[in-house]
Short mmCIF file of all heavy atoms in Angstrom, two decimals:
data_model
loop_
_atom_site.label_atom_id
_atom_site.label_comp_id
_atom_site.label_asym_id
_atom_site.label_seq_id
_atom_site.Cartn_x
_atom_site.Cartn_y
_atom_site.Cartn_z
N LEU V 1 48.54 167.40 134.91
CA LEU V 1 47.10 167.21 135.00
C LEU V 1 46.70 166.72 136.40
O LEU V 1 45.71 167.20 136.97
CB LEU V 1 46.64 166.21 133.94
CG LEU V 1 45.16 165.79 134.00
CD1 LEU V 1 44.25 167.01 133.85
CD2 LEU V 1 44.85 164.75 132.92
N PHE V 2 47.46 165.80 136.94
CA PHE V 2 47.11 165.23 138.25
C PHE V 2 47.35 166.23 139.38
O PHE V 2 46.63 166.22 140.38
CB PHE V 2 47.88 163.94 138.47
CG PHE V 2 47.63 162.92 137.40
CD1 PHE V 2 48.57 162.70 136.39
CD2 PHE V 2 46.44 162.23 137.34
CE1 PHE V 2 48.33 161.79 135.39
CE2 PHE V 2 46.18 161.32 136.33
CZ PHE V 2 47.13 161.10 135.35
N MET V 3 48.32 167.13 139.21
CA MET V 3 48.52 168.18 140.19
C MET V 3 47.35 169.16 140.19
O MET V 3 46.94 169.67 141.23
CB MET V 3 49.82 168.93 139.90
CG MET V 3 51.09 168.11 140.15
SD MET V 3 51.24 167.60 141.88
CE MET V 3 51.34 169.18 142.70
N LEU V 4 46.79 169.43 139.00
CA LEU V 4 45.61 170.29 138.92
C LEU V 4 44.41 169.62 139.58
O LEU V 4 43.70 170.24 140.39
CB LEU V 4 45.30 170.61 137.46
CG LEU V 4 43.98 171.37 137.21
CD1 LEU V 4 44.03 172.76 137.82
CD2 LEU V 4 43.67 171.45 135.71
N LEU V 5 44.15 168.37 139.24
CA LEU V 5 42.99 167.66 139.80
C LEU V 5 43.08 167.53 141.31
O LEU V 5 42.05 167.50 142.01
CB LEU V 5 42.86 166.27 139.15
CG LEU V 5 42.59 166.26 137.64
CD1 LEU V 5 42.58 164.83 137.10
CD2 LEU V 5 41.26 166.94 137.32
N ALA V 6 44.30 167.48 141.84
CA ALA V 6 44.48 167.34 143.29
C ALA V 6 43.99 168.57 144.05
O ALA V 6 43.77 168.49 145.26
CB ALA V 6 45.96 167.10 143.60
N GLN V 7 43.79 169.69 143.36
CA GLN V 7 43.35 170.91 144.03
C GLN V 7 41.83 171.03 144.13
O GLN V 7 41.32 172.01 144.66
CB GLN V 7 43.93 172.13 143.28
CG GLN V 7 45.45 172.16 143.27
CD GLN V 7 46.02 173.39 142.60
OE1 GLN V 7 45.28 174.29 142.22
NE2 GLN V 7 47.34 173.44 142.46
N TYR V 8 41.11 170.02 143.62
CA TYR V 8 39.65 170.08 143.62
C TYR V 8 39.08 168.85 144.32
O TYR V 8 39.78 167.83 144.49
CB TYR V 8 39.13 170.16 142.18
CG TYR V 8 39.56 171.43 141.48
CD1 TYR V 8 40.55 171.41 140.51
CD2 TYR V 8 38.99 172.65 141.81
CE1 TYR V 8 40.96 172.58 139.88
CE2 TYR V 8 39.38 173.83 141.18
CZ TYR V 8 40.36 173.78 140.22
OH TYR V 8 40.77 174.94 139.60
N PRO V 9 37.80 168.91 144.71
CA PRO V 9 37.18 167.77 145.41
C PRO V 9 37.18 166.52 144.53
O PRO V 9 37.15 166.60 143.30
CB PRO V 9 35.75 168.26 145.67
CG PRO V 9 35.82 169.74 145.59
CD PRO V 9 36.89 170.06 144.62
N GLY V 10 37.20 165.36 145.19
CA GLY V 10 37.14 164.09 144.46
C GLY V 10 38.35 163.82 143.61
O GLY V 10 38.23 163.24 142.52
N ALA V 11 39.52 164.22 144.08
CA ALA V 11 40.73 164.11 143.27
C ALA V 11 41.03 162.67 142.87
O ALA V 11 41.47 162.40 141.74
CB ALA V 11 41.92 164.71 144.01
N ALA V 12 40.79 161.73 143.76
CA ALA V 12 41.07 160.32 143.45
C ALA V 12 40.19 159.84 142.30
O ALA V 12 40.66 159.17 141.37
CB ALA V 12 40.86 159.45 144.68
N LEU V 13 38.90 160.20 142.34
CA LEU V 13 37.97 159.77 141.30
C LEU V 13 38.29 160.44 139.96
O LEU V 13 38.34 159.77 138.91
CB LEU V 13 36.53 160.10 141.71
CG LEU V 13 35.44 159.74 140.69
CD1 LEU V 13 35.45 158.24 140.41
CD2 LEU V 13 34.07 160.19 141.19
N THR V 14 38.52 161.75 139.97
CA THR V 14 38.80 162.45 138.71
C THR V 14 40.15 162.02 138.14
O THR V 14 40.31 161.93 136.91
CB THR V 14 38.78 163.96 138.91
OG1 THR V 14 39.69 164.33 139.98
CG2 THR V 14 37.38 164.44 139.28
N SER V 15 41.12 161.74 139.00
CA SER V 15 42.42 161.27 138.51
C SER V 15 42.29 159.89 137.87
O SER V 15 42.91 159.60 136.84
CB SER V 15 43.44 161.22 139.65
OG SER V 15 43.70 162.51 140.15
N PHE V 16 41.47 159.03 138.49
CA PHE V 16 41.24 157.72 137.89
C PHE V 16 40.54 157.87 136.54
O PHE V 16 40.89 157.18 135.57
CB PHE V 16 40.39 156.86 138.84
CG PHE V 16 40.10 155.49 138.29
CD1 PHE V 16 41.09 154.51 138.29
CD2 PHE V 16 38.86 155.18 137.78
CE1 PHE V 16 40.83 153.24 137.77
CE2 PHE V 16 38.58 153.93 137.26
CZ PHE V 16 39.58 152.95 137.26
N ALA V 17 39.56 158.79 136.47
CA ALA V 17 38.88 159.05 135.19
C ALA V 17 39.86 159.55 134.14
O ALA V 17 39.78 159.18 132.95
CB ALA V 17 37.76 160.07 135.39
N ALA V 18 40.81 160.38 134.57
CA ALA V 18 41.82 160.89 133.63
C ALA V 18 42.70 159.76 133.11
O ALA V 18 43.04 159.72 131.92
CB ALA V 18 42.68 161.95 134.31
N ILE V 19 43.06 158.82 133.98
CA ILE V 19 43.87 157.68 133.55
C ILE V 19 43.09 156.84 132.54
O ILE V 19 43.64 156.40 131.51
CB ILE V 19 44.28 156.81 134.76
CG1 ILE V 19 45.25 157.58 135.66
CG2 ILE V 19 44.91 155.50 134.30
CD1 ILE V 19 45.59 156.85 136.94
N VAL V 20 41.80 156.64 132.81
CA VAL V 20 40.96 155.90 131.86
C VAL V 20 40.90 156.63 130.52
O VAL V 20 41.01 156.01 129.45
CB VAL V 20 39.54 155.71 132.44
CG1 VAL V 20 38.60 155.11 131.38
CG2 VAL V 20 39.57 154.81 133.67
N LEU V 21 40.74 157.96 130.56
CA LEU V 21 40.70 158.75 129.33
C LEU V 21 41.99 158.58 128.53
O LEU V 21 41.96 158.35 127.32
CB LEU V 21 40.49 160.23 129.66
CG LEU V 21 39.06 160.72 129.78
CD1 LEU V 21 39.05 162.17 130.26
CD2 LEU V 21 38.33 160.62 128.45
N VAL V 22 43.12 158.72 129.21
CA VAL V 22 44.40 158.57 128.53
C VAL V 22 44.51 157.18 127.93
O VAL V 22 44.93 157.00 126.77
CB VAL V 22 45.58 158.84 129.49
CG1 VAL V 22 46.91 158.53 128.81
CG2 VAL V 22 45.57 160.28 129.96
N GLY V 23 44.11 156.17 128.70
CA GLY V 23 44.20 154.80 128.22
C GLY V 23 43.33 154.56 127.00
O GLY V 23 43.76 153.93 126.02
N VAL V 24 42.11 155.07 127.02
CA VAL V 24 41.21 154.84 125.88
C VAL V 24 41.63 155.67 124.67
O VAL V 24 41.55 155.21 123.53
CB VAL V 24 39.74 155.13 126.28
CG1 VAL V 24 38.82 154.92 125.09
CG2 VAL V 24 39.32 154.22 127.42
N PHE V 25 42.09 156.92 124.90
CA PHE V 25 42.65 157.70 123.80
C PHE V 25 43.86 156.97 123.20
O PHE V 25 44.06 156.95 121.98
CB PHE V 25 43.07 159.08 124.27
CG PHE V 25 41.95 160.09 124.29
CD1 PHE V 25 41.77 160.93 125.38
CD2 PHE V 25 41.08 160.22 123.22
CE1 PHE V 25 40.75 161.87 125.41
CE2 PHE V 25 40.05 161.15 123.23
CZ PHE V 25 39.89 161.97 124.33
N PHE V 26 44.68 156.40 124.08
CA PHE V 26 45.83 155.59 123.68
C PHE V 26 45.37 154.47 122.75
O PHE V 26 45.90 154.29 121.64
CB PHE V 26 46.44 155.01 124.96
CG PHE V 26 47.75 154.28 124.82
CD1 PHE V 26 48.82 154.63 125.62
CD2 PHE V 26 47.90 153.23 123.94
CE1 PHE V 26 50.03 153.96 125.54
CE2 PHE V 26 49.11 152.54 123.85
CZ PHE V 26 50.17 152.91 124.65
N ILE V 27 44.36 153.73 123.18
CA ILE V 27 43.88 152.57 122.41
C ILE V 27 43.25 153.00 121.09
O ILE V 27 43.55 152.43 120.02
CB ILE V 27 42.88 151.76 123.24
CG1 ILE V 27 43.59 151.12 124.44
CG2 ILE V 27 42.21 150.67 122.40
CD1 ILE V 27 42.65 150.51 125.47
N SER V 28 42.38 154.02 121.13
CA SER V 28 41.67 154.41 119.91
C SER V 28 42.61 155.00 118.87
O SER V 28 42.47 154.74 117.67
CB SER V 28 40.54 155.40 120.24
OG SER V 28 41.06 156.58 120.84
N GLY V 29 43.59 155.82 119.32
CA GLY V 29 44.53 156.39 118.36
C GLY V 29 45.44 155.34 117.73
O GLY V 29 45.63 155.31 116.51
#
């Protein structure tokens, strides 16, 4: 996922958002 996001603008921001998503999915599940 992070290799894909690195190919588009704002990779640092979208990667951080992805980490947050994984973390919250982790918590809710």
Side-chain angles (χ1 to χ4, degrees):
L1 174 60
F2 302 103
M3 291 299 298
L4 172 66
L5 296 176
Q7 299 183 5
Y8 296 106
L13 178 61
T14 54
S15 295
F16 180 75
I19 293 175
V20 172
L21 272 174
V22 173
V24 179
F25 276 135
F26 188 127
I27 293 169
S28 61

